[in-house]
Amino acid sequence: MSLPDLAVEALASLDALEADGLSAFTGSGSPAEVEAARVEFLGMKQGRVKTAQERLKALEPSAKRAYGQRFNAVKGSLESAHDAAKARLDRPTLAIADGFDVTRPGTRPKLGHRHPLTQTTDELIDLFGRFGFTVARGPEVEDVHHNFDALNIPPVHPARDPLDNFYLSEGTMLRSQTSTVQIRVMESQPPPIRVIAIGRVYRPDTVDATHSFMFHQIEGLMVDKGVTMADLKTVLRLFARSYLGEDVKIRFRPSFFPFTEPSVEVDMLWHGGDRWVEMGGAGMVDPNVFRAVGYDPDEVTGFAFGLGIERLCMRRHGIDDIRLLYQNEGRFLGQF
Ligand code: DAH
């Protein structure tokens, strides 16, 4: 073999070395196979790269340069192939073998949030809290004394009609209004009083876009020396503006409730709205209510109001069907 032939053959052997090495590394299917390929090709003592390096010495000086350059390239490419194979297989194989691949992208947990009615409730508690109102609670299963008698609703009043109430027995019922809590609060403490009560009320109404057999009310009660209707209007107006916007107008319309005298309906008008919307009732606490709880109507006066939570929430968000609030439908609730 002539010298040039030897040089050509040496370069060809580097090509073969590279091809063999690359296929050994890319074809390894386990860390053990990668390690075997590393020993065979990159091993310090008898690795094929090492052997190829030693061959350089036997070459003619004129061939050394080309061989050396090609050798460096082959060595580099096999080292990279080794690194790549290691990286590919150095994954937590144990976890994969267990049927759980920790390297797979995770599933993002779906975070829920508070129901829009709960958001409204929390906001009302916050707003009235700033006016000094604390939160009072009362039972949903109520007796007729708190739901009617103590609220100055006489035994023959149509509001007591069995067709309009969920009676549980002769003397008990699902409360039809949160005004019951006014009585419970005043029975349990002397004036002054500044409370709101928020909760469910029940009436056998036929369900449609604006009615439900169960809905929520917010009740307010303030009792002290010298409380007037101006206080009532101020509190409700400040509340309406805070909750629904600066441009909301509020109007009192004369009305009648057995537990207030005088009584009003509370209407609100929104910017751009074309009609007043009734949001609830209010008035000055009737002296008979004070007498029923042992307060002296000559000593204190007070105002009370009751508003529908659903109405406030629907108005705020532009919801046009009350049933949407009870159906627990994710696409609907996700909007708020
Ligand atoms: N309880 C009444 C209802 O459910 C609303 C109401 C009116 C509450 C006047 C009040 C009030 O406190 O003063 O229709």
Side-chain angles (χ1 to χ4, degrees):
M1 212 184 261
S2 66
L3 277 177
D5 282 347
L6 193 62
V8 168
E9 195 272 334
L11 282 172
S13 77
L14 285 179
D15 292 343
L17 171 59
E18 183 174 41
D20 290 352
L22 288 180
S23 83
F25 284 121
T26 53
S28 343
S30 69
E33 284 176 40
V34 176
E35 178 57 12
R38 186 193 67 76
V39 171
E40 181 184 347
F41 291 93
L42 298 170
M44 294 297 266
K45 291 214 174 91
Q46 287 170 351
R48 286 175 58 181
V49 170
K50 184 82 184 161
T51 312
Q53 188 178 4
E54 265 145 25
R55 201 167 172 183
L56 185 69
K57 295 174 201 155
L59 288 179
E60 166 85 344
S62 61
K64 271 189 179 162
R65 190 179 154 80
Y67 185 89
Q69 274 178 356
R70 179 75 184 118
F71 170 83
N72 285 334
V74 169
K75 188 178 176 206
S77 91
L78 292 190
E79 282 169 353
S80 312
H82 170 244
D83 291 347
K86 267 186 77 163
R88 175 166 55 82
L89 293 164
D90 268 1
R91 297 212 178 144
T93 49
L94 208 167
I96 295 170
D98 283 350
F100 176 73
D101 182 353
V102 298
T103 64
R104 288 185 57 179
T107 316
R108 194 176 280 276
K110 277 195 184 144
L111 287 186
H113 60 66
R114 288 169 306 151
H115 190 280
L117 283 177
T118 309
Q119 293 177 24
T120 299
T121 299
D122 290 349
E123 213 171 310
L124 295 179
I125 290 172
D126 185 56
L127 283 173
F128 280 101
R130 288 187 230 157
F131 304 143
F133 286 75
T134 56
V135 177
R137 280 171 212 291
E140 289 174 30
V141 173
E142 198 38 290
D143 53 54
V144 295
H145 172 73
H146 289 91
N147 203 91
F148 296 128
D149 301 331
L151 285 165
N152 198 36
I153 300 172
V156 292
H157 196 279
R160 297 191 184 229
D161 193 323
L163 288 175
D164 292 332
N165 294 282
F166 288 111
Y167 284 100
L168 301 172
S169 69
E170 182 114 341
T172 59
M173 58 188 297
L174 295 179
R175 69 179 177 196
S176 63
Q177 50 185 353
T178 46
S179 304
T180 55
V181 186
Q182 292 185 34
I183 303 304
R184 290 191 172 272
V185 169
M186 290 190 283
E187 277 173 345
S188 67
Q189 66 190 82
I193 303 273
R194 221 187 275 200
V195 292
I196 53 167
I198 298 182
R200 296 192 179 104
V201 299
Y202 301 85
R203 295 175 195 179
D205 285 335
T206 304
V207 175
D208 63 21
T210 53
H211 293 87
S212 165
F213 52 84
M214 182 284 300
F215 58 99
H216 299 74
Q217 289 185 328
I218 173 171
E219 190 84 13
L221 174 69
M222 176 169 173
V223 181
D224 205 342
K225 289 192 165 93
V227 174
T228 71
M229 211 148 181
D231 299 315
L232 169 62
K233 197 159 189 179
T234 302
V235 166
L236 286 184
R237 194 181 53 213
L238 284 173
F239 151 70
R241 290 194 176 174
S242 310
Y243 185 70
L244 293 163
E246 282 298 317
D247 45 12
V248 168
K249 290 206 175 88
I250 180 167
R251 167 176 94 173
F252 281 180
R253 204 155 30 87
S255 184
F256 174 80
F257 296 100
F259 35 91
T260 44
E261 181 62 33
S263 303
V264 295
E265 303 280 350
V266 183
D267 298 341
M268 295 183 194
L269 178 70
W270 285 265
H271 179 70
D274 54 358
R275 64 187 184 94
W276 290 88
V277 180
E278 184 195 317
M279 300 304 285
M284 299 306 292
V285 179
D286 193 287
N288 281 342
V289 173
F290 283 144
R291 286 185 196 107
V293 297
Y295 281 16
D296 181 353
D298 294 327
E299 273 289 306
V300 290
T301 53
F303 68 70
F305 62 86
L307 308 169
I309 301 274
E310 276 79 354
R311 263 190 197 183
L312 289 166
C313 176
M314 289 164 76
R315 201 19 87 167
R316 167 78 170 265
H317 296 296
I319 299 167
D320 60 4
D321 192 323
I322 197 172
R323 290 167 291 197
L324 291 166
L325 290 170
Y326 308 127
Q327 286 162 347
N328 247 359
E329 213 284 310
R331 285 170 303 176
F332 169 74
L333 294 177
Q335 300 174 77
F336 306 100

